[in-house]
Amino acid sequence: MVAKKNLCVLILAGGKGTRMKSSTPKPLHEICGGPILSHILKTAQKLKPSAIGVLTGHQADLLKQTVKDNLAKWGIKTPVEFLLQKNLTGSGTAVKDSLPFIKKYDNVLILAGDAPLVRAETLKQLIKRHNDKKASCTVFTVNIENPYGYGRIVKEEDGSFKKIVEQSEADGKTALIKEVNSGMYIFDTPLLIKMLAFLKPQGAKKEYYLTDTLGLLKENGKKVEVYKAEDFTEAMGINSKKQLAQAAAIMRAKTNDDFMAAGVTIIHPEVTYIDATVKIGADSVIYPNSHIQGATVIGKNCVIGPDCWIENSKIEDGAVIKSGSYITDSTVGKKCQVGPYAHLRPSAVLKEGAKVGNYVEIKKAVIGKGSKVSHLTYIGDTEMGSGVNVGAGTITCNYDGVNKYKTVIGDDVFVGSNTNFVAPVKIGRGAKIGAGSTVTEDIPAGELAIARARQVNLNRKKGNK
């Protein structure tokens, strides 16, 4: 007989989420840098389980494919198995439909697929209590000031677990109880499987409740423990767009707190929007109303904002991103300056010490070390060397209506204001270009190019027209 491995995690993500009023499955709604489910998967992985199971139901194929396509992006390396809830008739049915997965493991930690705020540290304490007490089940609870809608945790006189009473069945005294069920548990798997067989349909909807297994365990002389978390928000489930916004605000606040604890200065945390997926180095300063999203990595001693948008980009040590700048899928090198009001579009790369100033747009271009593109300029599909100085109003004409072409500018080139590069062209090292030129041919290294109509002054008093 093959020995069972210790722990698996089962995420219940099969509900319809009708109150979300959306065609998107509830677990796939975005919150602080990823779908709800991605945050739960990351938390589960930190527990180092043998495997993670995701129970699907509503829009199962879409949910399954989305998760599969993004596991690597989310950094999930733990094996993930997908299960299907055939009948959406309660949490008991959900776990029954997961038996082919959970029966392979000694213990199963059951998590809600709509509760992304639960922390791995809290779940580790839940598991520790379960193991220390040698319990058959340990339920994760919290205290809530307004417990309406939650199952109440009823205890014996000695403080031990007695039962869970659902809202619809709570009498006046029970309804006053503030300790509630989070919908998350750890079970001894073989005992859970035995108890599932005895579940009976409950309520008007004839649903099978997983919570009934706790009472059944008690009736059979088994130990049921309670682990109460201090922070009630960890148990918050998301059932509507309003709750999604509330959960996002809580997650952002915790994320900002973590950054500040690690040495990042956030001038006004309440109006600074940083995804949980972002990384920021110590001694960086983030000004208000900045949005930092996705897989963005910001180094040490950087200054960001105010009013900046940075998405899926790398900002290296000592860089300064000034007010109103918009950066996506780009790399900003050490000690670079960007903005104010600059736009770095995908595949923009700024080498160390480069400067991109106000109202400059960079797209799929490399700006070399120490080069300056200071204002009112568009540089696209370009490879620019180091020490280049680009005057105001310069444009790379990289698109002819059918194809895009590349401009190559060598080191130490001086580009006069209002220059147009009609790609493909190559500018040799140290070349100089007169203001107002339209460059249509290559310029050899060190040469001066002037490509503009010759000025003619006409004396209108003598009848010239």
Side-chain angles (χ1 to χ4, degrees):
M1 181 178 179
V2 179
K4 293 181 181 178
K5 297 180 180 178
N6 184 34
L7 176 71
C8 69
V9 176
L10 176 63
I11 302 172
L12 304 182
K16 288 185 177 181
T18 53
R19 282 182 281 169
M20 297 297 286
K21 307 293 186 185
S22 174
S23 60
T24 301
K26 181 167 67 171
L28 295 184
H29 278 78
E30 292 282 322
I31 176 172
C32 296
I36 292 170
L37 187 55
S38 72
H39 295 284
I40 301 168
L41 285 166
K42 290 177 185 178
T43 298
Q45 181 170 256
K46 292 177 182 177
L47 307 175
K48 299 181 180 179
S50 299
I52 301 171
V54 177
L55 181 72
T56 64
H58 180 62
Q59 292 185 282
D61 290 341
L62 175 59
L63 184 66
K64 180 178 177 180
Q65 194 60 52
T66 301
V67 173
K68 279 187 172 182
D69 290 345
N70 287 281
L71 285 173
K73 175 183 174 182
W74 298 336
I76 306 301
K77 297 179 181 179
T78 304
V80 176
E81 295 185 32
F82 296 90
L83 310 137
L84 179 64
Q85 185 177 357
K86 298 173 184 176
N87 297 303
L88 303 179
T89 53
S91 55
T93 303
V95 179
K96 279 185 177 181
D97 287 340
S98 304
L99 291 184
F101 169 69
I102 67 173
K103 71 180 183 181
K104 295 179 285 186
Y105 304 95
D106 293 319
N107 295 280
V108 53
L109 175 67
I110 298 177
L111 301 179
D114 62 358
L117 298 178
V118 64
R119 298 168 67 244
E121 292 74 15
T122 301
L123 294 176
K124 288 176 182 177
Q125 291 301 312
L126 170 69
I127 294 168
K128 184 178 185 299
R129 182 173 182 84
H130 179 77
N131 292 334
D132 290 348
K133 297 293 184 178
K134 296 181 171 59
S136 298
C137 172
T138 303
V139 56
F140 175 17
T141 72
V142 293
N143 271 13
I144 296 181
E145 279 302 310
N146 179 13
Y148 183 84
Y150 289 88
R152 310 304 202 278
I153 302 297
V154 180
K155 294 184 175 179
E156 304 283 5
E157 291 184 2
D158 63 1
S160 63
F161 175 86
K162 181 177 182 179
K163 61 182 177 178
I164 296 176
V165 177
E166 300 299 335
Q167 174 69 46
S168 59
E169 300 170 358
D171 59 25
K173 182 179 179 181
T174 304
L176 296 176
I177 296 173
K178 294 183 178 181
E179 186 175 1
V180 300
N181 175 25
S182 71
M184 292 179 270
Y185 324 79
I186 180 170
F187 282 94
D188 175 289
T189 308
L191 286 173
L192 171 62
I193 293 171
K194 287 182 181 179
M195 297 305 107
L196 287 171
F198 293 100
L199 289 182
K200 295 179 180 180
Q202 305 288 344
K205 296 182 179 179
K206 301 297 182 183
E207 293 185 320
Y208 294 84
Y209 297 138
L210 180 62
T211 50
D212 288 348
T213 62
L214 281 67
L216 290 168
L217 286 168
K218 283 278 291 185
E219 291 173 12
N220 284 271
K222 305 299 180 182
K223 183 183 287 189
V224 177
E225 284 289 328
V226 172
Y227 175 77
K228 184 167 70 174
E230 294 182 5
D231 183 358
F232 73 92
T233 66
E234 291 194 55
M236 179 180 175
I238 296 173
N239 295 298
S240 66
K241 294 292 179 62
K242 180 178 180 179
Q243 290 178 342
L244 181 66
Q246 291 169 339
I250 293 167
M251 187 177 288
R252 280 195 300 269
K254 290 181 177 180
T255 298
N256 288 348
D257 286 346
D258 289 343
F259 279 128
M260 289 187 287
V264 177
T265 298
I266 301 178
I267 302 297
H268 194 340
E270 291 79 7
V271 290
T272 302
Y273 306 90
I274 306 174
D275 282 350
T277 50
V278 169
K279 297 179 181 179
I280 306 177
D283 293 317
S284 287
V285 180
I286 315 297
Y287 279 83
N289 296 316
S290 289
H291 295 250
I292 307 173
Q293 300 187 331
T296 295
V297 177
I298 296 174
K300 299 177 182 178
N301 297 296
C302 295
V303 177
I304 309 295
D307 304 308
C308 290
W309 181 287
I310 304 175
E311 181 179 355
N312 297 327
S313 296
K314 183 177 182 180
I315 313 298
E316 296 183 358
D317 296 351
V320 176
I321 313 299
K322 297 180 181 178
S323 178
S325 295
Y326 194 107
I327 303 173
T328 57
D329 299 286
S330 295
T331 300
V332 177
K334 293 180 180 180
K335 299 181 181 180
C336 287
Q337 293 187 45
V338 177
Y341 305 106
H343 187 185
L344 303 189
R345 291 168 57 190
S347 299
V349 177
L350 276 57
K351 301 285 186 164
E352 182 176 354
K355 179 181 178 182
V356 170
N358 49 294
Y359 303 105
V360 172
E361 181 176 348
I362 309 291
K363 190 273 296 184
K364 200 177 180 180
V366 176
I367 308 301
K369 183 176 180 179
S371 291
K372 298 178 181 179
V373 187
S374 294
H375 31 235
L376 301 164
T377 292
Y378 168 72
I379 302 293
D381 296 282
T382 297
E383 184 178 334
M384 183 183 298
S386 62
V388 175
N389 192 311
V390 179
T394 295
I395 296 174
T396 55
C397 308
N398 53 320
Y399 184 51
D400 65 2
V402 178
N403 298 304
K404 291 189 177 181
Y405 298 98
K406 189 173 184 178
T407 298
V408 178
I409 302 174
D411 296 344
D412 302 317
V413 169
F414 180 89
V415 181
S417 297
N418 292 319
T419 293
N420 301 313
F421 292 101
V422 182
V425 288
K426 293 183 179 180
I427 314 302
R429 179 172 185 153
K432 297 183 184 298
I433 302 170
S437 294
T438 295
V439 178
T440 59
E441 298 178 4
D442 294 351
I443 303 174
E447 293 196 2
L448 170 64
I450 302 174
R452 60 182 181 232
R454 186 172 181 177
Q455 181 173 328
V456 177
N457 296 330
L458 302 177
N459 189 332
R460 297 182 67 188
K461 292 181 179 180
K462 293 183 179 181
N464 294 319
K465 298 182 179 180

mmCIF file of all heavy atoms in Angstrom, residues 4 8 10 51 53 55 81-86 93-105 108 189 193 196:
data_model
loop_
_atom_site.group_PDB
_atom_site.id
_atom_site.type_symbol
_atom_site.label_atom_id
_atom_site.label_comp_id
_atom_site.label_asym_id
_atom_site.label_seq_id
_atom_site.Cartn_x
_atom_site.Cartn_y
_atom_site.Cartn_z
ATOM 1 N N LYS A 4 0.167 7.714 2.204
ATOM 2 C CA LYS A 4 -0.379 9.002 1.808
ATOM 3 C C LYS A 4 0.560 10.128 2.207
ATOM 4 O O LYS A 4 1.278 10.046 3.198
ATOM 5 C CB LYS A 4 -1.740 9.230 2.484
ATOM 6 C CG LYS A 4 -2.830 8.290 2.013
ATOM 7 C CD LYS A 4 -4.126 8.612 2.728
ATOM 8 C CE LYS A 4 -5.243 7.677 2.302
ATOM 9 N NZ LYS A 4 -6.492 7.958 3.029
ATOM 10 N N CYS A 8 -2.873 18.433 1.608
ATOM 11 C CA CYS A 8 -3.266 19.056 0.346
ATOM 12 C C CYS A 8 -4.139 20.263 0.666
ATOM 13 O O CYS A 8 -4.668 20.391 1.775
ATOM 14 C CB CYS A 8 -4.026 18.076 -0.550
ATOM 15 S SG CYS A 8 -5.676 17.622 0.043
ATOM 16 N N LEU A 10 -7.457 22.376 -0.810
ATOM 17 C CA LEU A 10 -8.599 22.360 -1.718
ATOM 18 C C LEU A 10 -9.237 23.745 -1.726
ATOM 19 O O LEU A 10 -9.669 24.243 -0.686
ATOM 20 C CB LEU A 10 -9.628 21.318 -1.278
ATOM 21 C CG LEU A 10 -10.924 21.256 -2.094
ATOM 22 C CD1 LEU A 10 -10.644 20.852 -3.529
ATOM 23 C CD2 LEU A 10 -11.930 20.301 -1.451
ATOM 24 N N ALA A 51 0.021 19.120 -2.819
ATOM 25 C CA ALA A 51 -0.704 19.478 -4.044
ATOM 26 C C ALA A 51 -1.810 20.458 -3.694
ATOM 27 O O ALA A 51 -2.225 20.575 -2.536
ATOM 28 C CB ALA A 51 -1.284 18.245 -4.724
ATOM 29 N N GLY A 53 -5.720 21.539 -5.041
ATOM 30 C CA GLY A 53 -6.859 21.218 -5.879
ATOM 31 C C GLY A 53 -7.750 22.436 -6.042
ATOM 32 O O GLY A 53 -7.993 23.169 -5.081
ATOM 33 N N LEU A 55 -11.469 23.352 -7.179
ATOM 34 C CA LEU A 55 -12.782 22.829 -7.541
ATOM 35 C C LEU A 55 -13.511 23.850 -8.393
ATOM 36 O O LEU A 55 -13.762 24.974 -7.962
ATOM 37 C CB LEU A 55 -13.604 22.512 -6.296
ATOM 38 C CG LEU A 55 -14.985 21.936 -6.595
ATOM 39 C CD1 LEU A 55 -14.870 20.509 -7.098
ATOM 40 C CD2 LEU A 55 -15.890 22.001 -5.382
ATOM 41 N N GLU A 81 -4.314 20.430 -9.378
ATOM 42 C CA GLU A 81 -5.288 19.554 -10.019
ATOM 43 C C GLU A 81 -6.642 20.262 -10.087
ATOM 44 O O GLU A 81 -6.995 21.033 -9.188
ATOM 45 C CB GLU A 81 -5.436 18.232 -9.253
ATOM 46 C CG GLU A 81 -4.179 17.377 -9.253
ATOM 47 C CD GLU A 81 -4.404 16.026 -8.594
ATOM 48 O OE1 GLU A 81 -5.537 15.492 -8.693
ATOM 49 O OE2 GLU A 81 -3.460 15.505 -7.972
ATOM 50 N N PHE A 82 -7.403 19.985 -11.133
ATOM 51 C CA PHE A 82 -8.707 20.610 -11.318
ATOM 52 C C PHE A 82 -9.799 19.563 -11.154
ATOM 53 O O PHE A 82 -9.699 18.454 -11.674
ATOM 54 C CB PHE A 82 -8.791 21.263 -12.697
ATOM 55 C CG PHE A 82 -7.826 22.395 -12.870
ATOM 56 C CD1 PHE A 82 -6.550 22.170 -13.365
ATOM 57 C CD2 PHE A 82 -8.179 23.684 -12.511
ATOM 58 C CE1 PHE A 82 -5.639 23.207 -13.507
ATOM 59 C CE2 PHE A 82 -7.278 24.731 -12.653
ATOM 60 C CZ PHE A 82 -6.013 24.490 -13.153
ATOM 61 N N LEU A 83 -10.835 19.950 -10.422
ATOM 62 C CA LEU A 83 -11.960 19.064 -10.155
ATOM 63 C C LEU A 83 -13.237 19.766 -10.570
ATOM 64 O O LEU A 83 -13.277 20.991 -10.672
ATOM 65 C CB LEU A 83 -11.999 18.712 -8.666
ATOM 66 C CG LEU A 83 -10.645 18.227 -8.122
ATOM 67 C CD1 LEU A 83 -10.364 18.847 -6.790
ATOM 68 C CD2 LEU A 83 -10.585 16.734 -8.054
ATOM 69 N N LEU A 84 -14.267 19.025 -10.775
ATOM 70 C CA LEU A 84 -15.531 19.599 -11.260
ATOM 71 C C LEU A 84 -16.659 19.293 -10.294
ATOM 72 O O LEU A 84 -16.901 18.133 -9.952
ATOM 73 C CB LEU A 84 -15.878 19.034 -12.639
ATOM 74 C CG LEU A 84 -17.192 19.542 -13.251
ATOM 75 C CD1 LEU A 84 -17.124 21.048 -13.508
ATOM 76 C CD2 LEU A 84 -17.495 18.791 -14.545
ATOM 77 N N GLN A 85 -17.333 20.345 -9.835
ATOM 78 C CA GLN A 85 -18.539 20.175 -9.030
ATOM 79 C C GLN A 85 -19.719 20.008 -9.977
ATOM 80 O O GLN A 85 -20.126 20.953 -10.652
ATOM 81 C CB GLN A 85 -18.756 21.379 -8.116
ATOM 82 C CG GLN A 85 -19.943 21.193 -7.171
ATOM 83 C CD GLN A 85 -20.121 22.353 -6.199
ATOM 84 O OE1 GLN A 85 -19.317 23.296 -6.195
ATOM 85 N NE2 GLN A 85 -21.152 22.304 -5.387
ATOM 86 N N LYS A 86 -20.235 18.800 -10.037
ATOM 87 C CA LYS A 86 -21.274 18.480 -11.014
ATOM 88 C C LYS A 86 -22.619 19.091 -10.653
ATOM 89 O O LYS A 86 -23.389 19.488 -11.531
ATOM 90 C CB LYS A 86 -21.391 16.964 -11.141
ATOM 91 C CG LYS A 86 -20.099 16.309 -11.647
ATOM 92 C CD LYS A 86 -20.185 14.793 -11.595
ATOM 93 C CE LYS A 86 -18.854 14.158 -12.013
ATOM 94 N NZ LYS A 86 -18.892 12.683 -11.885
ATOM 95 N N THR A 93 -21.621 19.097 -1.135
ATOM 96 C CA THR A 93 -21.524 18.476 -2.458
ATOM 97 C C THR A 93 -20.199 18.810 -3.112
ATOM 98 O O THR A 93 -19.578 17.963 -3.769
ATOM 99 C CB THR A 93 -22.675 18.958 -3.357
ATOM 100 O OG1 THR A 93 -23.914 18.651 -2.726
ATOM 101 C CG2 THR A 93 -22.633 18.273 -4.712
ATOM 102 N N ALA A 94 -19.751 20.044 -2.927
ATOM 103 C CA ALA A 94 -18.478 20.470 -3.505
ATOM 104 C C ALA A 94 -17.342 19.577 -3.025
ATOM 105 O O ALA A 94 -16.515 19.100 -3.825
ATOM 106 C CB ALA A 94 -18.202 21.921 -3.142
ATOM 107 N N VAL A 95 -17.284 19.335 -1.725
ATOM 108 C CA VAL A 95 -16.202 18.511 -1.186
ATOM 109 C C VAL A 95 -16.375 17.048 -1.593
ATOM 110 O O VAL A 95 -15.396 16.358 -1.886
ATOM 111 C CB VAL A 95 -16.113 18.672 0.337
ATOM 112 C CG1 VAL A 95 -15.001 17.782 0.909
ATOM 113 C CG2 VAL A 95 -15.834 20.137 0.699
ATOM 114 N N LYS A 96 -17.603 16.576 -1.670
ATOM 115 C CA LYS A 96 -17.847 15.211 -2.149
ATOM 116 C C LYS A 96 -17.297 15.024 -3.554
ATOM 117 O O LYS A 96 -16.689 13.996 -3.872
ATOM 118 C CB LYS A 96 -19.351 14.895 -2.144
ATOM 119 C CG LYS A 96 -19.918 14.499 -0.798
ATOM 120 C CD LYS A 96 -21.380 14.088 -0.955
ATOM 121 C CE LYS A 96 -21.967 13.607 0.345
ATOM 122 N NZ LYS A 96 -23.385 13.177 0.204
ATOM 123 N N ASP A 97 -17.505 16.007 -4.406
ATOM 124 C CA ASP A 97 -17.013 15.916 -5.781
ATOM 125 C C ASP A 97 -15.488 16.042 -5.864
ATOM 126 O O ASP A 97 -14.909 15.831 -6.930
ATOM 127 C CB ASP A 97 -17.665 17.005 -6.649
ATOM 128 C CG ASP A 97 -19.126 16.691 -6.955
ATOM 129 O OD1 ASP A 97 -19.513 15.512 -6.834
ATOM 130 O OD2 ASP A 97 -19.864 17.621 -7.309
ATOM 131 N N SER A 98 -14.857 16.386 -4.730
ATOM 132 C CA SER A 98 -13.399 16.502 -4.693
ATOM 133 C C SER A 98 -12.723 15.261 -4.118
ATOM 134 O O SER A 98 -11.495 15.234 -3.975
ATOM 135 C CB SER A 98 -13.003 17.721 -3.839
ATOM 136 O OG SER A 98 -13.605 18.894 -4.314
ATOM 137 N N LEU A 99 -13.492 14.253 -3.787
ATOM 138 C CA LEU A 99 -12.930 13.064 -3.138
ATOM 139 C C LEU A 99 -11.799 12.407 -3.919
ATOM 140 O O LEU A 99 -10.813 11.958 -3.312
ATOM 141 C CB LEU A 99 -14.031 12.040 -2.845
ATOM 142 C CG LEU A 99 -15.051 12.442 -1.760
ATOM 143 C CD1 LEU A 99 -16.025 11.301 -1.504
ATOM 144 C CD2 LEU A 99 -14.341 12.828 -0.476
ATOM 145 N N PRO A 100 -11.876 12.307 -5.264
ATOM 146 C CA PRO A 100 -10.756 11.676 -5.984
ATOM 147 C C PRO A 100 -9.420 12.371 -5.730
ATOM 148 O O PRO A 100 -8.373 11.737 -5.824
ATOM 149 C CB PRO A 100 -11.177 11.807 -7.452
ATOM 150 C CG PRO A 100 -12.660 11.884 -7.413
ATOM 151 C CD PRO A 100 -12.984 12.657 -6.171
ATOM 152 N N PHE A 101 -9.484 13.650 -5.392
ATOM 153 C CA PHE A 101 -8.256 14.398 -5.098
ATOM 154 C C PHE A 101 -7.866 14.284 -3.634
ATOM 155 O O PHE A 101 -6.742 13.868 -3.302
ATOM 156 C CB PHE A 101 -8.450 15.869 -5.475
ATOM 157 C CG PHE A 101 -7.358 16.782 -4.987
ATOM 158 C CD1 PHE A 101 -6.086 16.718 -5.526
ATOM 159 C CD2 PHE A 101 -7.608 17.728 -3.984
ATOM 160 C CE1 PHE A 101 -5.068 17.559 -5.080
ATOM 161 C CE2 PHE A 101 -6.611 18.569 -3.537
ATOM 162 C CZ PHE A 101 -5.329 18.484 -4.080
ATOM 163 N N ILE A 102 -8.781 14.607 -2.711
ATOM 164 C CA ILE A 102 -8.393 14.722 -1.301
ATOM 165 C C ILE A 102 -8.090 13.374 -0.666
ATOM 166 O O ILE A 102 -7.324 13.314 0.309
ATOM 167 C CB ILE A 102 -9.469 15.472 -0.482
ATOM 168 C CG1 ILE A 102 -10.764 14.665 -0.384
ATOM 169 C CG2 ILE A 102 -9.716 16.854 -1.071
ATOM 170 C CD1 ILE A 102 -11.784 15.295 0.566
ATOM 171 N N LYS A 103 -8.657 12.287 -1.175
ATOM 172 C CA LYS A 103 -8.446 10.976 -0.542
ATOM 173 C C LYS A 103 -6.997 10.513 -0.604
ATOM 174 O O LYS A 103 -6.614 9.576 0.108
ATOM 175 C CB LYS A 103 -9.366 9.938 -1.170
ATOM 176 C CG LYS A 103 -9.004 9.538 -2.592
ATOM 177 C CD LYS A 103 -9.977 8.506 -3.136
ATOM 178 C CE LYS A 103 -9.588 8.050 -4.543
ATOM 179 N NZ LYS A 103 -10.556 7.060 -5.084
ATOM 180 N N LYS A 104 -6.176 11.178 -1.416
ATOM 181 C CA LYS A 104 -4.770 10.793 -1.547
ATOM 182 C C LYS A 104 -3.900 11.392 -0.437
ATOM 183 O O LYS A 104 -2.703 11.104 -0.370
ATOM 184 C CB LYS A 104 -4.236 11.252 -2.904
ATOM 185 C CG LYS A 104 -4.897 10.561 -4.103
ATOM 186 C CD LYS A 104 -4.343 11.063 -5.427
ATOM 187 C CE LYS A 104 -4.851 12.432 -5.778
ATOM 188 N NZ LYS A 104 -4.430 12.874 -7.147
ATOM 189 N N TYR A 105 -4.515 12.211 0.446
ATOM 190 C CA TYR A 105 -3.720 12.935 1.435
ATOM 191 C C TYR A 105 -4.307 12.755 2.833
ATOM 192 O O TYR A 105 -5.514 12.598 3.007
ATOM 193 C CB TYR A 105 -3.660 14.415 1.064
ATOM 194 C CG TYR A 105 -3.130 14.616 -0.337
ATOM 195 C CD1 TYR A 105 -4.004 14.753 -1.412
ATOM 196 C CD2 TYR A 105 -1.766 14.605 -0.595
ATOM 197 C CE1 TYR A 105 -3.522 14.894 -2.711
ATOM 198 C CE2 TYR A 105 -1.275 14.750 -1.879
ATOM 199 C CZ TYR A 105 -2.148 14.888 -2.934
ATOM 200 O OH TYR A 105 -1.681 15.013 -4.220
ATOM 201 N N VAL A 108 -6.586 17.723 4.716
ATOM 202 C CA VAL A 108 -6.979 18.639 3.661
ATOM 203 C C VAL A 108 -7.326 19.991 4.284
ATOM 204 O O VAL A 108 -8.116 20.069 5.240
ATOM 205 C CB VAL A 108 -8.176 18.104 2.837
ATOM 206 C CG1 VAL A 108 -9.360 17.725 3.713
ATOM 207 C CG2 VAL A 108 -8.581 19.123 1.772
ATOM 208 N N THR A 189 -8.489 13.808 6.681
ATOM 209 C CA THR A 189 -9.208 13.445 5.462
ATOM 210 C C THR A 189 -10.054 12.181 5.595
ATOM 211 O O THR A 189 -11.234 12.189 5.209
ATOM 212 C CB THR A 189 -8.231 13.327 4.280
ATOM 213 O OG1 THR A 189 -7.442 14.497 4.197
ATOM 214 C CG2 THR A 189 -8.989 13.154 2.981
ATOM 215 N N ILE A 193 -14.165 12.146 5.012
ATOM 216 C CA ILE A 193 -14.840 11.314 4.000
ATOM 217 C C ILE A 193 -15.958 10.500 4.630
ATOM 218 O O ILE A 193 -17.056 10.376 4.062
ATOM 219 C CB ILE A 193 -13.807 10.413 3.290
ATOM 220 C CG1 ILE A 193 -12.853 11.283 2.450
ATOM 221 C CG2 ILE A 193 -14.500 9.393 2.396
ATOM 222 C CD1 ILE A 193 -11.676 10.528 1.879
ATOM 223 N N LEU A 196 -18.955 12.850 5.396
ATOM 224 C CA LEU A 196 -19.664 13.325 4.201
ATOM 225 C C LEU A 196 -20.774 12.366 3.787
ATOM 226 O O LEU A 196 -21.803 12.777 3.242
ATOM 227 C CB LEU A 196 -18.673 13.506 3.042
ATOM 228 C CG LEU A 196 -17.720 14.701 3.132
ATOM 229 C CD1 LEU A 196 -16.658 14.620 2.036
ATOM 230 C CD2 LEU A 196 -18.477 16.020 3.032
#
